[in-house]
Amino acid sequence: MKEIVLDEQTIAQKVQELGAKLTEDLKDEEKVPLFLCVMKGAMPFYSDLIKHVKCPILCDYIHITSYDGGLSSSGTVRLEKDIANNIDGRTVVIVEDIVDTGLSMEFLIKHIRSRGNPKRIVVCAFFDKYLARKNEVRVDYSAVRLEHAQFLVGYGLDYRELFRNVPYVYVPDEEEIAAVDRKMDAD
Ligand code: IMP
Ligand code: MG
């Protein structure tokens, strides 16, 4: 039996609420805010979220890798593709799937600051695994604050690049992880 953490309906509801909150908080910005999708994990969350933001926004993406493809964070973050927009004077909303140790987010925040002079940087993560944090990174907007450190897949979250397309979120069991390992090692 799959241990479902969030079903599709609950996800949709939570994303809609977040979009409404962001709209309220960003509707009077002087410069159009930039919503930055952190590839690849935030892809489904980002595309759902921006449809619920009812004020003008700019869309951009950045691609980093932080997990070595397995079950734990590698600690080292690599930039694969940079931001294209000018961020001077704008609010930048970083949209992430999950903030775990916070190391990736710390890297992102520093990197964005090095690329210009944003008005402010706002962190919006679908999941906030706040108990796993290894630094001072704070999540300003999150759909779910996780008390446990279980490894999750679905709705953008992957194990060895699989499961990102699963529309709900669940905890894969050991058998399923082993089956993926066999498949990917043979691939
Ligand atoms: P951090 O640098 O430890 O905060 O890790 C952030 C990244 O690790 C996220 O963007 C995810 O890609 C990945 N990650 C963290 N926890 C999970 C999980 O439970 N399932 C899948 N990926 C995760
Ligand atoms: Mg990831």
Side-chain angles (χ1 to χ4, degrees), residues 38-42 64-67 70-77 96-106 108 127 129 132-135 137 146 148-154 156-159 164 169-170 172:
V38 184
M39 297 294 253
K40 295 177 258 180
I64 56 164
T65 48
S66 55
Y67 259 48
L71 292 165
S72 62
S73 191
S74 68
T76 45
V77 184
E96 248 293 31
D97 50 1
I98 188 165
V99 177
D100 184 22
T101 61
L103 295 172
S104 311
M105 192 49 73
E106 189 176 19
L108 273 174
F127 286 109
K129 261 189 194 172
R133 204 74 87 249
K134 290 186 176 161
N135 55 22
V137 163
L146 287 170
H148 59 78
Q150 273 168 325
F151 187 81
L152 307 172
V153 294
L157 293 168
D158 71 301
Y159 174 68
R164 293 197 200 274
V169 178
Y170 71 100

